[in-house]
Amino acid sequence: MTTSFRGLVVALMLTLLPAWALAEDGHELWLRYRPLAGQAKAQAGVSAIVLAAPASSTTQAAIAELQRGVAGMTGREPPLTPRIKPGVLVLAARAQAPSGLHLAWDELGREGYALRRLKLQGQDVTVIAANGDIGLLYGSFAWLRAAQTGADLIRLDQSSAPKVGLRLLNHWDNLDGHVERGYSGASLWDWWKLPDILDARYVDYARANASLGINGAVLNNVNAKADSLTAPYLAKAAALAGVFRPYGIKVYLSARFSAPVELGGLKTSDPLDPAVRAWWKAKADEIYKVIPDFGGFLVKANSEGQPGPQDYGRNHADGANMLAEALNPHGGVVMWRAFVYAADASDRAKQAYAEFQPLDGKFAANVIVQVKNGAIDFQPREPFHPLFGAMPKTPLALELQITKEYLGFSTHLVHLGPLFEEVLRADTGHGGTVARVVDGSLEKHKLTAVAGVANIGQDRNWSGSQFDQANWYAFGRLAWDPDLASAAVARDWVAQTFTTRPAARDAIVQLMLASREAVVDYMTPLGLHHLMDTGHHYGPGPWVNNLERADWNPTYFHRAGRDGIGFDRSPGGSNAVAQYAPSVARRFADPRTTPPELLLWFHHLPWDYAMPSGRTLWAELIARYDRGVATVDDMGRRWAALKTDVDPERHAEVTAYLAVQAREARWWRDACVAFFQSVSGLPLPAGTRPPEKDLAAYKALRFGFAPGR
Amino acid sequence: MTTSFRGLVVALMLTLLPAWALAEDGHELWLRYRPLAGQAKAQAGVSAIVLAAPASSTTQAAIAELQRGVAGMTGREPPLTPRIKPGVLVLAARAQAPSGLHLAWDELGREGYALRRLKLQGQDVTVIAANGDIGLLYGSFAWLRAAQTGADLIRLDQSSAPKVGLRLLNHWDNLDGHVERGYSGASLWDWWKLPDILDARYVDYARANASLGINGAVLNNVNAKADSLTAPYLAKAAALAGVFRPYGIKVYLSARFSAPVELGGLKTSDPLDPAVRAWWKAKADEIYKVIPDFGGFLVKANSEGQPGPQDYGRNHADGANMLAEALNPHGGVVMWRAFVYAADASDRAKQAYAEFQPLDGKFAANVIVQVKNGAIDFQPREPFHPLFGAMPKTPLALELQITKEYLGFSTHLVHLGPLFEEVLRADTGHGGTVARVVDGSLEKHKLTAVAGVANIGQDRNWSGSQFDQANWYAFGRLAWDPDLASAAVARDWVAQTFTTRPAARDAIVQLMLASREAVVDYMTPLGLHHLMDTGHHYGPGPWVNNLERADWNPTYFHRAGRDGIGFDRSPGGSNAVAQYAPSVARRFADPRTTPPELLLWFHHLPWDYAMPSGRTLWAELIARYDRGVATVDDMGRRWAALKTDVDPERHAEVTAYLAVQAREARWWRDACVAFFQSVSGLPLPAGTRPPEKDLAAYKALRFGFAPGR
């Protein structure tokens, strides 16, 4: 059978496949390559592929992806050809590029690419050009995305290079297969069967990440076991590294600081102890023997019970620099997390800044300090972390949470693109936005990183729900280019995943964009934060005040009483605002200049405080809770209207999830309103729907087997 | 588009699909329905389907499966038609059956079916006949199996009715998603998202079970949490029951005996306490309100720390009968497990008999005592449990373990069909085989059951490896008909799963059949048992002697010393043999009449004991270990020779698993030989390969994160 007939049949097949043969279960993510029609199909046609680049496992992966994608979209799989012909697609590495391209090669850097439709040797061809093979792979995915999303491929002329060097997923995956704060099944890494058995999903994981530009994966939980540094587990990590390498993805490990004691039998893990330093050096040498391109260590130290340098009277820089010294000969990096808080802190929000800012300039060159987007812990909304811009001599990585620990797990539809965008665009007051800190441009740092806590597991749909895939996608695209608009990224994802029909596509995008403010409204409006119930972090628990540590209790954070509500972080309170640059601090210090969205984060205000809306704070709070519920209802209506635009399987699935979210948004709203009313003692504003149940009923709910704990 | 063209395209598609579009990942189990060719394809053609039966969700499921199967195998999906035409397939329930069938309807019972090709109204048709709709579904799966395996459908004339009433999977699945002794990923039941979100896999699970005749599922672990009996979890179980109901599968729950205290706030769970009895009655009423066809309770009581009636000075019958009384008005059943052993037992093998045999005749009519196949715990080989045949007045269920807790997890290829068959065919000496006890025919019991501890999880291939699917399959087929030959069942599975080409099919069957004796040989030959290392039950640990309870230690079971090896259960020893019927007891009491395969189970013998082979016991032991390793190597060679007969994806996957097994068979052999040599002090027989490493090296191995613990 000729290739073209085979291609035709493939196209027919994909159109006519009975539902059971190609289940729309979301497993293909955004790399679906469904048949195009009309002009889009004609433009996506490729007569053949020319490899004007070294044959490597990476260029092989690029060719295979192009063949798969073009076959799926057009019904015809392009063969390889040695010479330029009409309609070919040329993968051109700088050294072997055909003449006549006239590219600004230097601007593409090591990982960037250019896509261009042009005449070459008199023929109309498409060129994917890059300095090296990983750029060719990224360019191939970009070209496929352009084809999938209906871009005009005839006028194609674009180039892109990542603005951030390390674009990493952090997997909080334990060696026993459990994923901390994971809501999409067990860990993708089958540590027990590795290194012998290589699940086919490992390749698909690498493809999906490469399609976004993600170039590293920290395989194990930051709450680390030392075991991951033993020879058997290094062999397992090496096997994964071998699968990922063609896709440009480096493997990293979370390192347990006390490993020299636990594994090495030393009496101490003091970072200034020569034997400890020697142990880590030997360990690094051992790692690089089996994983020559090992990325480095991620470390959670002296935080939430993890061991660290403070156990020995040393500071974070002492600890990080010891590891950096061990990794440095091999080119490895230490990502040292700034998520720390002490049991006795007067304001937990101030802790990371207090411990880290004074260490600015003390870290080795291959250390990057990894800072969460906000100072508490991945809440629906937080102001940007005051460390951004405050440590000019230190490269800072931004840590985002893709898994929705505090935002409804994988059951609520909450698109995080707007949250990521809000953080990146926040003006630090130190001369640039968070994005300019993170991409290194503000202080001319070469070492730059964005990390996302992964939402990936063994669920067939990878992320626990169809729409949670979009959060992985948005993270990856924004890590590559923090200046992208989250709406544009969402539009690409919808076009690749659901539909390119403009009306339906845009309706889905609108629904996604509305979802983030909705979750803020029905969980923690007006700057409230950390109101969730104990342990599971799922439902509401604003009444919780019985936990061992003050700053584990929601009552610590909202401080609601008869007099008002909110955490006073103004100069008259904890003065956390002073950790920000003066211009920002001034704005946040005064409730009148603090954005309403962050009001109760920074201020404790009386219930009758007059809001810009004209409502009292009490009425505004309830209005916001109501708005959240209304938005979720509206999302349900919008989705219902899309029934003919989405395949029945995924439409029904999302419908079921939205019904859960509608019910649980009411639960959040009702429980919080009931509680705050019990504290404020105020009547509900006229016309307000009273909570469905008594406060006691909400307090009595228990969720003993919630996932992710 | 007409149906026939659509069908043609489906057939083309399935032939020509690129590898990535229809991954051979094993997800379809044995219900693959790949295109047939030649005569098999012609015979599997169905012009249309006639439903001569009530339209129910069950007959709808039968029709859907027939349409899916015929479309897949022949390329043409048969439509429904109201009247007999040439080539139709008639689903005929007794009350609506066309005349001229002349079936022995009564022999089919409630669940049986008949398949027959015949002339009806002058036309050649195929009839699937049954008394009720579930028989029609079973018959449809049987007809599809006949078509898939290349049976002569033109001369079809068969009927079948299950010999055992309750054919159940026991899921040892915890409410947090972990599966105890599970090696195929997390629990299939997403308790967190139930009852709102119904995973598409629930239907496929039901289809697969119905295709084998499995008609019940105990959803939660026998080490039960009381939570599964609370209203929220009953709603979740009810949602599953709703999915399973059309497929004839009832839902059961493991009941925690102390639930009246834990949930009901009672001061006791004493089964003779009126308040406790009232609590269980009310709980049963509550359950049947949401699950009207609830199957009943499975109970592990007073075993391995579980609460039970002995906590209150009562016996197993007291406990079981209390629950039976609560379930009886609703038709529910209590399955009371006999797996018990006390900390102070002189011989753990004797414990279950000692506790249960005296209670024969004391159990209520809707209680069945569930007995493991052997008296220890699912070892590679055990003699049949002495309770079989010893409690004539009590229905006994056979409990088999499908998940391979002690047989290499899902990493080793061990086909369990021969193990199941060996147990079922064992002559109890009480007038019949274990099969005759279990199917109730020996003592004319109506309540009959076979239970299998499931090996099912969220892995894409369901069971952790391709070949572990065959153990689920073999269990189901043998539960329906305990007299089936395991070789014939394996042949069906291979034909449905891999290939119908006779040479390749039979080669795979041979490999499977050899695998069980191989694992016995390389782990625990000659009646040895319980030699595994602590906790994980994976690798060898014959040296382990430091566990809290004597009968948790391998040294307790093998009793190897300078003088010899084996557990003396003869009249001169623990006299466990006396628990068997006299004829069997006599045979097992004497080493000369004890089968060599069970020799060291019943006897402690000197190392120079003369074996029938002419070797000393010491030499025979090593020869068996070597034979096990050689068989695994041979399995690898056989599989390698099948490369062109199996799709590349599954061939490569199984090859990788067999390489692990070959390495680990050596590990088992070497560690055990090294240990037993250290005890016997004897030189290795001439020509014997010495263990690869020192005994100390094997003792030092640790597996902290083994799955299933």
Side-chain angles (χ1 to χ4, degrees):
Chain A
M1 182 179 308
T2 66
T3 300
S4 67
F5 179 62
R6 181 169 178 277
L8 180 73
V9 173
V10 169
L12 249 177
M13 284 184 322
L14 292 168
T15 318
L16 301 170
L17 269 177
W20 50 266
L22 200 62
E24 289 286 7
D25 58 10
H27 184 67
E28 298 163 286
L29 295 164
W30 46 87
L31 304 175
R32 293 159 52 81
Y33 307 130
R34 290 292 191 276
L36 300 172
Q39 184 184 315
K41 179 178 172 185
Q43 290 200 357
V46 169
S47 67
I49 296 171
V50 178
L51 181 66
S56 69
S57 58
T58 299
T59 52
Q60 288 306 313
I63 291 166
E65 195 72 28
L66 288 166
Q67 289 181 321
R68 169 193 287 221
V70 172
M73 290 187 288
T74 72
R76 189 175 175 287
E77 183 180 302
L80 275 176
T81 183
R83 69 183 58 93
I84 304 293
K85 299 190 295 190
V88 297
L89 188 153
V90 184
L91 287 168
R94 186 172 193 166
Q96 290 171 245
S99 57
L101 287 185
H102 308 300
L103 287 172
W105 292 98
D106 287 344
E107 288 174 18
L108 302 181
R110 198 185 69 79
E111 297 180 300
Y113 58 82
L115 310 180
R116 189 176 292 178
R117 179 85 174 188
L118 76 171
K119 272 208 191 307
L120 214 57
Q121 301 173 14
Q123 313 292 354
D124 285 319
V125 306
T126 297
V127 172
I128 299 173
N131 284 307
D133 55 4
I134 188 60
L136 293 177
L137 181 65
Y138 289 146
S140 298
F141 277 112
W143 184 84
L144 287 163
R145 179 167 66 233
Q148 287 175 285
T149 56
D152 185 348
L153 301 179
I154 299 303
R155 281 166 196 80
L156 198 63
D157 186 5
Q158 57 171 256
S159 63
S160 184
K163 294 178 181 162
V164 176
L166 307 180
R167 307 171 299 275
L168 310 182
L169 290 180
N170 291 0
H171 291 271
W172 287 359
D173 292 18
N174 295 331
L175 301 182
D176 65 1
H178 180 261
V179 181
E180 183 172 330
R181 308 306 174 185
Y183 314 106
S184 52
S187 172
L188 201 58
W189 321 133
D190 192 336
W191 291 111
W192 179 252
K193 290 183 177 173
L194 284 167
D196 300 284
I197 310 295
L198 295 172
D199 194 295
R201 286 179 291 202
Y202 301 153
V203 173
D204 290 329
Y205 166 87
R207 289 175 49 234
N209 278 329
S211 79
L212 307 174
I214 290 170
N215 65 1
V218 185
L219 298 176
N220 60 318
N221 193 349
V222 289
N223 293 318
K225 297 281 187 188
D227 307 66
S228 69
L229 299 173
T230 61
Y233 279 89
L234 292 176
K236 295 168 192 280
L240 288 175
V243 175
F244 300 162
R245 192 166 290 116
Y247 298 90
I249 297 165
K250 284 187 182 180
V251 153
Y252 299 69
L253 292 173
S254 291
R256 185 163 168 87
F257 198 79
S258 51
V261 170
E262 295 174 41
L263 302 182
L266 302 188
K267 293 220 157 39
T268 177
S269 294
D270 181 347
L272 301 190
D273 184 292
V276 173
R277 301 178 82 87
W279 188 89
W280 281 110
K281 271 186 161 303
K283 183 53 70 179
D285 294 347
E286 179 190 353
I287 293 172
Y288 280 90
K289 251 183 214 129
V290 293
I291 311 175
D293 55 355
F294 179 69
F297 293 136
L298 174 64
V299 186
K300 175 177 180 176
N302 293 123
S303 172
E304 299 185 318
Q306 293 297 309
Q310 295 174 349
D311 302 346
Y312 306 97
R314 315 302 181 185
N315 65 32
H316 290 292
D318 295 328
N321 293 346
M322 169 191 64
L323 296 175
E325 180 186 79
L327 294 170
N328 193 47
H330 308 284
V333 169
V334 174
M335 291 163 294
W336 193 271
R337 291 175 91 236
F339 178 64
V340 294
Y341 59 101
D344 58 350
S346 64
D347 181 357
R348 176 170 145 187
K350 292 168 65 179
Q351 183 86 12
Y353 183 99
E355 284 193 28
F356 277 85
Q357 200 282 330
L359 297 175
D360 189 29
K362 308 284 195 222
F363 290 95
N366 58 330
V367 174
I368 187 161
V369 173
Q370 183 163 314
V371 183
K372 290 189 183 185
N373 59 281
I376 296 299
D377 193 13
F378 297 136
Q379 297 301 297
R381 169 169 280 126
E382 301 191 27
F384 71 92
H385 202 296
L387 276 174
F388 290 110
M391 295 181 70
K393 297 180 202 148
T394 308
L396 297 188
L398 169 63
E399 179 176 311
L400 298 165
Q401 192 178 43
I402 310 170
T403 188
K404 304 205 309 299
E405 175 179 354
Y406 298 100
L407 293 93
F409 295 2
S410 62
T411 326
H412 293 201
L413 194 171
V414 180
H415 183 56
L416 300 179
L419 189 163
F420 301 160
E421 181 180 46
E422 180 175 294
V423 175
L424 288 163
R425 297 190 176 186
D427 185 349
T428 64
H430 293 288
T433 60
V434 171
R436 295 290 79 76
V437 175
V438 169
D439 72 11
S441 59
L442 191 64
E443 304 291 345
K444 307 282 175 278
H445 288 300
K446 294 281 184 218
L447 179 56
T448 57
V450 174
V453 181
N455 65 349
I456 299 166
Q458 287 193 8
D459 270 6
R460 187 62 179 166
N461 64 29
W462 298 87
S463 301
S465 80
Q466 302 298 334
F467 274 90
D468 275 302
Q469 296 181 355
N471 292 326
W472 177 6
Y473 184 97
F475 166 79
R477 296 288 304 278
L478 288 169
W480 176 280
D481 182 356
D483 296 320
L484 283 176
S486 73
V489 174
R491 198 156 52 236
D492 280 353
W493 178 78
V494 173
Q496 288 181 275
T497 304
F498 280 115
T499 178
T500 53
R501 290 186 46 216
R505 180 197 64 195
D506 294 346
I508 299 174
V509 170
Q510 285 310 312
L511 185 159
M512 292 166 69
L513 297 182
S515 66
R516 190 279 177 120
E517 206 63 39
V519 76
V520 171
D521 280 344
Y522 67 72
M523 286 188 180
T524 51
L526 295 172
L528 290 173
H529 48 290
H530 208 290
L531 300 188
M532 67 287 172
D533 205 356
T534 305
H536 52 74
H537 295 182
Y538 191 72
W543 47 80
V544 174
N545 64 357
N546 61 349
L547 298 177
E548 178 189 342
R549 283 177 55 162
D551 62 349
W552 286 347
N553 288 305
T555 52
Y556 168 95
F557 291 99
H558 63 66
R559 308 199 167 195
R562 202 49 67 111
D563 68 319
I565 183 171
F567 197 131
D568 185 0
R569 294 186 169 113
S570 75
S574 78
N575 201 22
V577 295
Q579 294 183 336
Y580 287 98
S583 62
V584 175
R586 267 194 305 278
R587 190 154 47 93
F588 289 161
D590 183 344
R592 289 166 304 177
T593 53
T594 302
E597 286 68 39
L598 297 173
L599 191 63
L600 303 178
W601 185 285
F602 288 113
H603 302 285
H604 186 85
L605 297 169
W607 295 105
D608 61 355
Y609 178 81
M611 295 293 293
S613 64
R615 297 188 187 99
T616 64
L617 173 57
W618 171 235
E620 181 73 24
L621 183 71
I622 291 169
R624 298 263 174 152
Y625 271 113
D626 282 333
R627 187 175 73 178
V629 171
T631 304
V632 174
D633 287 347
D634 188 52
M635 287 161 58
R637 281 188 293 272
R638 287 178 198 228
W639 184 255
L642 290 159
K643 187 154 188 178
T644 57
D645 295 292
V646 173
D647 53 279
E649 191 170 344
R650 289 187 296 170
H651 192 273
E653 185 182 323
V654 172
T655 300
Y657 277 89
L658 286 170
V660 173
Q661 187 174 9
R663 189 180 68 223
E664 296 187 345
R666 281 173 174 71
W667 167 34
W668 264 96
R669 180 267 186 203
D670 286 2
C672 290
V673 168
F675 170 73
F676 289 127
Q677 192 186 17
S678 77
V679 175
S680 74
L682 296 170
L684 294 177
T688 302
R689 178 178 65 77
E692 191 189 334
K693 301 176 188 172
D694 283 348
L695 180 56
Y698 300 111
K699 287 186 176 181
L701 293 172
R702 291 290 176 275
F703 302 91
F705 304 98
R709 298 178 68 169
Chain B
M1 182 178 311
T2 67
T3 300
S4 67
F5 178 64
R6 183 169 177 277
L8 180 75
V9 173
V10 170
L12 249 177
M13 283 181 325
L14 291 167
T15 320
L16 301 170
L17 270 177
W20 51 266
L22 201 61
E24 289 286 6
D25 57 11
H27 185 68
E28 297 163 287
L29 295 163
W30 46 87
L31 303 175
R32 292 159 54 80
Y33 307 130
R34 289 293 191 276
L36 301 171
Q39 184 184 315
K41 178 179 171 184
Q43 290 200 356
V46 169
S47 67
I49 296 173
V50 178
L51 180 66
S56 69
S57 59
T58 299
T59 52
Q60 288 307 313
I63 291 166
E65 194 74 27
L66 288 166
Q67 289 181 321
R68 171 194 288 220
V70 173
M73 291 188 289
T74 72
R76 190 176 174 286
E77 183 180 302
L80 274 176
T81 183
R83 68 183 58 93
I84 305 293
K85 297 188 297 188
V88 297
L89 189 153
V90 185
L91 287 168
R94 188 171 192 167
Q96 291 172 243
S99 58
L101 285 186
H102 309 299
L103 286 174
W105 290 98
D106 287 343
E107 288 173 18
L108 302 182
R110 198 184 69 78
E111 296 180 300
Y113 59 83
L115 310 179
R116 190 178 290 177
R117 179 84 174 188
L118 78 169
K119 272 209 191 305
L120 216 56
Q121 303 174 11
Q123 313 292 353
D124 285 318
V125 307
T126 297
V127 172
I128 298 174
N131 285 306
D133 57 3
I134 187 61
L136 294 177
L137 180 65
Y138 289 147
S140 298
F141 277 113
W143 184 84
L144 287 164
R145 179 167 66 234
Q148 285 174 286
T149 56
D152 185 349
L153 301 179
I154 299 303
R155 283 168 193 78
L156 198 63
D157 186 5
Q158 57 172 255
S159 63
S160 183
K163 293 178 181 161
V164 176
L166 306 181
R167 307 172 298 276
L168 310 183
L169 289 180
N170 291 0
H171 291 271
W172 287 0
D173 292 19
N174 295 332
L175 301 182
D176 65 359
H178 179 260
V179 182
E180 183 172 331
R181 309 307 174 185
Y183 314 106
S184 51
S187 172
L188 202 57
W189 322 133
D190 193 336
W191 292 112
W192 180 251
K193 290 183 178 173
L194 283 167
D196 300 283
I197 309 295
L198 296 172
D199 194 293
R201 286 179 292 202
Y202 301 153
V203 173
D204 289 329
Y205 166 86
R207 289 175 52 233
N209 278 328
S211 80
L212 307 173
I214 290 170
N215 65 1
V218 185
L219 298 176
N220 60 318
N221 193 349
V222 290
N223 293 319
K225 298 280 188 190
D227 306 67
S228 69
L229 299 173
T230 60
Y233 279 89
L234 292 177
K236 296 167 191 279
L240 288 174
V243 176
F244 300 163
R245 192 167 291 116
Y247 298 90
I249 297 165
K250 285 187 182 179
V251 153
Y252 299 69
L253 292 172
S254 292
R256 185 162 168 88
F257 198 79
S258 51
V261 171
E262 295 174 42
L263 301 182
L266 303 189
K267 293 220 158 39
T268 177
S269 295
D270 181 347
L272 301 191
D273 184 291
V276 172
R277 300 177 84 87
W279 189 89
W280 281 109
K281 270 186 163 302
K283 183 52 71 178
D285 295 346
E286 179 190 354
I287 294 172
Y288 279 91
K289 252 184 213 127
V290 293
I291 313 175
D293 55 354
F294 179 67
F297 292 137
L298 173 65
V299 186
K300 175 177 180 175
N302 293 123
S303 173
E304 299 184 319
Q306 291 299 308
Q310 295 175 350
D311 302 347
Y312 306 97
R314 316 302 180 186
N315 65 33
H316 290 293
D318 296 327
N321 293 347
M322 169 191 64
L323 296 175
E325 180 185 78
L327 294 171
N328 192 47
H330 308 284
V333 169
V334 174
M335 293 163 291
W336 193 271
R337 292 175 91 235
F339 178 66
V340 295
Y341 59 101
D344 58 351
S346 64
D347 180 357
R348 174 170 147 186
K350 293 168 66 179
Q351 183 86 11
Y353 183 99
E355 284 193 27
F356 277 85
Q357 200 282 330
L359 298 175
D360 189 28
K362 309 283 194 222
F363 289 95
N366 59 329
V367 174
I368 187 162
V369 173
Q370 184 163 313
V371 184
K372 289 189 182 185
N373 59 282
I376 297 300
D377 194 13
F378 298 135
Q379 297 300 296
R381 170 168 279 126
E382 301 191 27
F384 71 91
H385 202 296
L387 277 174
F388 290 111
M391 295 181 70
K393 297 179 203 150
T394 308
L396 297 187
L398 169 63
E399 180 177 312
L400 298 165
Q401 194 178 41
I402 309 171
T403 187
K404 304 205 309 297
E405 175 178 354
Y406 298 101
L407 293 93
F409 294 3
S410 62
T411 327
H412 292 202
L413 194 170
V414 179
H415 183 56
L416 300 179
L419 189 163
F420 300 160
E421 181 180 48
E422 181 176 291
V423 176
L424 289 163
R425 297 191 175 186
D427 185 348
T428 64
H430 293 288
T433 60
V434 171
R436 295 291 78 78
V437 175
V438 169
D439 70 13
S441 59
L442 190 63
E443 304 292 345
K444 308 283 177 275
H445 288 299
K446 294 282 184 215
L447 180 56
T448 56
V450 175
V453 181
N455 66 347
I456 299 166
Q458 287 193 7
D459 270 6
R460 188 62 180 166
N461 63 29
W462 298 86
S463 300
S465 79
Q466 302 298 334
F467 274 91
D468 275 302
Q469 298 180 354
N471 293 325
W472 176 9
Y473 184 98
F475 166 79
R477 296 289 305 279
L478 289 168
W480 176 280
D481 183 356
D483 296 321
L484 283 175
S486 73
V489 173
R491 198 155 53 235
D492 279 353
W493 179 78
V494 173
Q496 289 181 274
T497 305
F498 280 115
T499 178
T500 53
R501 290 184 48 215
R505 179 197 64 194
D506 295 345
I508 298 174
V509 170
Q510 286 310 311
L511 184 159
M512 292 165 71
L513 296 182
S515 66
R516 190 279 178 121
E517 206 62 40
V519 76
V520 171
D521 280 344
Y522 68 71
M523 286 187 179
T524 52
L526 295 172
L528 290 173
H529 48 289
H530 208 291
L531 300 188
M532 68 285 173
D533 205 355
T534 304
H536 53 72
H537 297 181
Y538 191 73
W543 47 80
V544 173
N545 64 357
N546 61 348
L547 299 178
E548 180 188 342
R549 283 178 54 163
D551 62 348
W552 287 346
N553 288 305
T555 53
Y556 168 95
F557 292 99
H558 63 66
R559 307 197 168 197
R562 200 50 67 110
D563 68 319
I565 183 171
F567 196 131
D568 186 359
R569 295 185 169 112
S570 76
S574 80
N575 201 23
V577 295
Q579 295 183 334
Y580 288 98
S583 62
V584 175
R586 267 195 304 280
R587 192 154 46 91
F588 289 163
D590 183 344
R592 288 165 306 177
T593 54
T594 302
E597 285 69 39
L598 297 173
L599 192 64
L600 304 178
W601 186 283
F602 289 113
H603 302 285
H604 187 84
L605 297 169
W607 294 106
D608 62 357
Y609 177 80
M611 296 294 292
S613 65
R615 296 188 187 99
T616 64
L617 174 57
W618 171 236
E620 182 72 23
L621 183 71
I622 291 169
R624 298 262 175 153
Y625 272 113
D626 282 334
R627 188 175 72 178
V629 171
T631 304
V632 174
D633 287 348
D634 188 53
M635 287 160 59
R637 282 188 294 271
R638 286 177 198 231
W639 184 255
L642 290 159
K643 187 156 189 178
T644 57
D645 296 291
V646 174
D647 54 278
E649 192 171 344
R650 289 187 296 170
H651 193 273
E653 185 181 324
V654 173
T655 299
Y657 278 89
L658 286 169
V660 173
Q661 188 174 9
R663 189 180 69 222
E664 296 186 345
R666 281 173 173 73
W667 167 34
W668 264 95
R669 179 267 186 203
D670 286 1
C672 291
V673 168
F675 170 73
F676 289 127
Q677 193 185 17
S678 78
V679 175
S680 75
L682 296 170
L684 294 175
T688 302
R689 179 177 65 76
E692 191 189 331
K693 301 177 188 173
D694 284 347
L695 179 56
Y698 299 112
K699 287 185 176 181
L701 293 171
R702 291 290 176 276
F703 301 92
F705 304 98
R709 298 181 67 171

